[in-house]
Structure formats: C-alpha cells, structure tokens
Amino acid sequence: MPETTRHSYDVVVIGAGGAGLRAAIEARQQGKRTAIVSKSLFGKAHTVMAEGGAAAALGNVNAGDEWRVHFRDTLRGGKFMNNPRMVELHAQEAPQRILELEYWGALFDRTEQGRISQRNFGGHEYPRLAHVGDRTGLEMIRTLQQRVVQLQQADAAEHGDPDAMLRVFAETTVTELLTLPDPTSGGAGGRIAGAFGYDRETGDHLVFEAPAVILATGGIGRSFQVTSNSWEYTGDGHALALRAGAELLNMEFVQFHPTGMVWPPSVTGILVTESVRGDGGVLRDSEGRRFMFDYVPAVFRSQYAETEREADGWYSDPENNRRPPELLPRDEVARAINNEVKQGRGSPHGGVYLDIASRLPAEEITRRLPSMHHQFRELADVDITAEPMEVGPTCHYVMGGVAVDADTGAAGVPGLFAAGEVASGMHGSNRLGGNSLSDLLVFGRRSGLGAADYVTALGGEYPSPAPEDLERAAAAVDAPLERDRGEDPYALHHEIRAVMHELVGIIRSGSEIERALGELAQLRERVADVRATGGRVYNPGWHLALDLANMVLVSEAVARAALEREESRGGHTRDDFPEMSALWRRVTLAVSRADEGVALEHRPLEELPGELLELFDREELGKYLTAEEMPPEKDSAA
Ligand code: FAD
C-alpha cells in the first residue's frame, strides 16, 4: 500500500521553471509559506533549455529601444490577438526583471562598454535579447535557484530549518487540484483547497493543503510527433485548470518553430536556436537560393529588405537598411519552409538548409553559438562552421493557456493562479522569440504577489480538502496499476501524437480537424482503460499512463478551437480559410470542461487603449482592425 504524506502551505507552486521559481520567490518574499512542486529534477525544466535570450527594452545596443517599441513589436508578432494589458506590463517591466536577475547574480554577456549585451531576434525591431551565449535559460535557472537557496539560508538562520518557509518537492507530479464549494459564489463554483500528487521515486501519495495554487507547468508539445519539448510537457497544468473549473483561451494557436533538427531520426525536432539567424544565418533551398524573400507577407513588406544586399547591410547599418526576411516572425518562416519542402526544393531529409558557415568566421560561430556547434557535432556529425544544417519546423510553444487576470495571474477559480507558458494572452496568435523568458519573470512575480495577497485576504481561514476528494484522487492515480487488462500507454501516446501531427499540425483543414476530433474522442475512452505493468517505484510506463488523459483533453481543446476559427493567423493556418479576418480578430475562443470532452464559447477580445493604438499608423491598423474599431482620423487642420 502506498503511504500518504500531508503538507500544509500558504501557497503551492506547481512547476520549477522560470515562472514557477520567480512566483515562489515572490510568495516567500511576501512572507508566505511556499512549496515548489516539480515533476522533474529540480533545475530540469524547459527554461533551462532556452538558448537565445530574454527580450527586454534595455536600449543597451540601440538607444532607440524603449517599452513602447517592444509593445508594438509584440503586438505585431501576435497579429493583434494579444491581451494588450499583458503586453504593456511585460514591455514596461521586463527591463527591471532582467536587472533584478543580474543583481541576484546572473552573468549576462556584455557590450564593449560593459553593459548587458543584446542580440537580434525575429520580429524585434532592435537588438533586444539579453543573453549568455546560447545558454541563457541555464543562467536564468541557476540564478533563480541560487536565490531560492539564499532565502532558505536566511530561513535556516531565523527558524533553524531551511525548509521552514520555502521547500522544494522535486520528482513529484500533481495529478489533481482539490477544490471546495466557494461560500462567496452561492455554491456555483469551487475554490482551491490544495493539490494531490505522487512521488515518482517511491510511488507514494502526497496531499498539499493550501488555499492558493500557482500553475507554472509549461507547455503541451509532447502531444505532437515532432517537437522541441521534453517528456514533462504533457499539458498537465492546462488540464488541471480545466478540471478545476478554469477556462483556456487561444488554444488553436500553437507555435511551430521554423528550425528544428530533421536528421538523424532519433533527434528530429530538437531546437536549432533562432540566434543562428539573428547572428547572420540564412535559409537556402536545395539549389542554394535564399527563398525567404519570396515569403514576406503584405502586412510586413514595408519593414523587410527586398534584396540580399539590403538584408546583409542591415547587420552593420540598421539605420539605412531593412531587416532580412529570415527574421520574420516564426509563423511566417515555418510556413515558408513547409512550402519549400512541399514544392520539392527541400534537403535530402525533408528540411531546408540553414547556413551560418559561409556567413561568419569559424571562431566567431563557436564563440557565439557554442551549444549549436556541440549539438550538431555530437548528434548529427555536422560541423556547422564548415557546412549548412538541415532544419524544418518543430512544435515548440503553445500561445493558448489558462485565462488569467493580467495584473495578478488570477485564473477565475478563487485561489488559482497561472503564469508562464501555461497562461494565455501575452503572446496573442504567435510568440516572438525571447518574449517567453521575460514573460516568466514579469508574470511569475505578479502571480506570486497575486497569490500572496489572496492568502492575506483570507485572514487565516483556510479551506480543508474533502476526504472523499482525496480518496477519489488516490484511486485515479492507482487505477492503471490495478487493472488486469488495458492498453499499453506507449502505444496510446504514439497514436495521440500522430493524430495531432497529421491532422492538427502546421497546416490545418476543417475536414482533417473533424477527423482528429473523432479519433480523439475514441482515444479518450481507450485512455480511460490504460494499463501500466510493473511496480510503484520509478515506473515511467505508469507515469505516462497518468499523463495521457491530460494530453487527450488538451488536444481536444486545441482541435475544437482550431475547427472553430475560420481564418489563418499566427500559429493557426487553415488551408480552407487562408486569409486573416478582422472579424475573427475580435473573437477569443474560450474552452471549458464539459461532461464529454470540452465546450467552446466566443468571447470579445480586450480592446486596445487609444493611446497605444497611436503607436501604429492607420495603414497598418487597417490590416488588422474592423472599420468600427479604427480610431477616428486626426483632423489635419487641428
Ligand atoms: P517550464 O520551464 O517548461 O517548467 C515547467 C515546470 O513544470 C517543470 O518544472 C515541470 O517539471 C513542471 N511540471 C509540469 N507538469 C507538472 C505536474 N503535473 N506536476 C508537477 N510539476 C509539473 N524562450 C525564450 O524566451 N527564449 C529562448 O531563447 C527560448 N529557447 C527555447 C529553447 C528550447 C529548446 C525550448 C523547448 C524552449 C525555448 N523557449 C525560449 C521557450 C521557453 O523556454 C519556455 O516557454 C519557458 O521556459 C517555459 O517556462 P515555464 O516556467 O512556463 O515552464
């Protein structure tokens, strides 16, 4: 029989990536007893894999940069589907969060003047990404963990116990949020009472009693066949939120990063950082043509170079040249690569060529891109200083996620908060590279504050989880191990990934998505009977069996929203509705839990405040907004 241990906290943070750590640090700094729960080893999260950098308008490399320019770029990148308040807070606060990280010990690369260096990235008008070579995420996590340890040392000195106020539960998976009827909602909704999970090492159960939970569980990429995401990213936080009564927004918007490895098969999908293009790398077809010049859409034409000469001139003289089209937002580049391959101009293994070797001296490549150099040499036997890389699109990031209040991260269910990739709104229909790492810091901190304020307002009256809910959660965790018959979790996982890759992938059509929904409904039933063999101790088959229901639920959310949105925008491309529509821009799709699968509702998108609309000229606004939304023309005589 498994043992059950109970823990009580003010705030439980689920996830130990950048968002989770920053949220936990804030909650602890506000004096709240805080737990950090992480499915993987402490320090192993997507954040640690981030390569290129964190976007913040510090203006260190080009003094023209400031928060309004960052705001404008982010909204353009998201094709005006972003939550404007989140974009505003992010652009304003990202510089403070980066400087805070430096104060806590992060060693960013420097400019010649000794300031934090910033690099170019797709969609950013100025060099904006604070970075540490191509290992920025590692430095971010190292610094945040160091801050956690610093706080624990202070607690050891004050309370005699380093875990007194802030404790890490690594290799612990949360499977259920515990809720109780909310007395303020007349019984209609629930409020958070804690979380239930299991220890991956022993298989034992854990109950966290807490009035506030912050979801910081990252993305959903493992539901797709080709992905840059690692094993943990099964959409757990998205599914936990849905089951607790929260809503997900924008789930149709899934980012396919243009450059993942395509060869050999064992490494397909592993990311090739955008820094390669930011530092001068170019994309070529099988005949050596720089094809991106053919794919600059009308909305971006005025901002991108028309000739190779102008594009190359931009690296040294950005005032007098426009940006290379290789640095268009990711959705545009991914679709272009997809089309080149489809037209028969791809590389031998179904990608295109990414060439940095002919663009920079070998020593400069190994200095700027040490991880990429190592990755290709070790995994593909390719020397990127001498030959081009073969690359193709890979499922990378989900723009959709838990609906949150921009200022506090509150997720609709009292006591529930969300931040980082699991939350929605900030990135609209397409995230700009570098904007995730800064998002984690800005909204991680805000959700930590939001949760701490919520707990303070309770005045010590904490709800206690109901015993029958604990029994139900425990039975659900043990069920796959107790079945005599049932399907193999690995085979089911393979099928889910194939359905999402083939029918709800980078280019979608209504009939294919309908087929996907039919197959996912069947998979939902089959997953309910999945069986895991073996014992409780470190049993990955059992762990996967428990993740599958989350993957199916979240995949249904993606497919339902993708079928509903009859336009193409950002990370959602319909070949039966190839145009972007100003009418659809006004609609946000909200997914909630229904008896069978998920339900969908249309919600109005938050309006852009007038003073921020003024950052764009009328011609550009006219490409996105309906006639009624357009600001009044300024009286030229006034
Ligand atoms: P993560 O860092 O993904 O952490 C999620 C945490 O939740 C983990 O600790 C995990 O164990 C835990 N968890 C999940 N489910 C459960 C559960 N059920 N119970 C308990 N714990 C759970 N963005 C940029 O801005 N710049 C870049 O240069 C960049 N490069 C990238 C490179 C790669 C290869 C990848 C994959 C992504 C990159 N991104 C980049 C995106 C960015 O890294 C992620 O979006 C971001 O790190 C997500 O952070 P997070 O804190 O939301 O979640």
Side-chain angles (χ1 to χ4, degrees), residues 86-246:
M86 288 180 94
V87 183
E88 184 182 2
L89 289 171
H90 171 257
Q92 286 173 344
E93 294 178 7
Q96 298 159 41
R97 298 282 75 78
I98 293 293
L99 293 173
E100 174 183 73
L101 211 60
E102 184 179 50
Y103 178 69
W104 287 343
L107 295 168
F108 290 104
D109 287 358
R110 319 304 295 181
T111 63
E112 279 176 10
Q113 295 74 34
R115 309 175 83 190
I116 293 175
S117 176
Q118 299 188 269
R119 66 158 41 115
N120 286 306
F121 240 52
H124 293 280
E125 186 166 336
Y126 295 116
R128 190 175 283 146
L129 269 67
H131 58 276
V132 184
D134 56 2
R135 296 173 183 144
T136 313
L138 178 64
E139 184 66 358
M140 181 180 274
I141 287 291
R142 186 196 67 73
T143 308
L144 291 172
Q145 286 190 343
Q146 185 174 302
R147 178 74 186 148
V148 166
V149 170
Q150 226 175 42
L151 291 167
Q152 288 179 320
Q153 283 170 344
D155 293 336
E158 190 177 340
H159 306 285
D161 174 9
D163 291 335
M165 295 293 291
L166 183 56
R167 179 168 170 192
V168 178
F169 294 82
E171 301 217 71
T172 302
T173 301
V174 170
T175 55
E176 226 38 82
L177 296 180
L178 303 165
T179 55
L180 282 180
D182 178 13
T184 62
S185 73
R191 63 169 170 156
I192 291 295
F196 187 92
Y198 66 94
D199 179 328
R200 300 170 76 87
E201 199 175 338
T202 61
D204 288 338
H205 298 157
L206 284 95
V207 177
F208 296 96
E209 296 179 357
V213 166
I214 302 176
L215 294 171
T217 49
I220 66 165
R222 293 309 285 186
S223 298
F224 289 80
Q225 202 165 294
V226 177
T227 180
S228 63
N229 288 195
S230 58
W231 62 267
E232 306 94 306
Y233 300 101
T234 50
D236 295 4
H238 293 75
L240 290 170
L242 273 179
R243 288 200 290 265

Side-chain angles (χ1 to χ4, degrees), residues 14-20 37-40 44-47 49-53 121 172-174 216-219 228-229 232-233 236 240 271 396-397 419-422 431 433-437 440:
I14 309 177
V37 187
S38 140
K39 189 170 171 173
S40 35
K44 159 79 183 67
H46 265 154
T47 306
M49 294 156 75
E51 294 158 352
F121 240 52
T172 302
T173 301
V174 170
T217 49
S228 63
N229 288 195
E232 306 94 306
Y233 300 101
D236 295 4
L240 290 170
L271 195 76
H396 184 57
Y397 185 89
E421 188 167 342
V422 72
R431 174 176 72 86
N435 268 359
S436 173
L437 291 190
L440 310 180

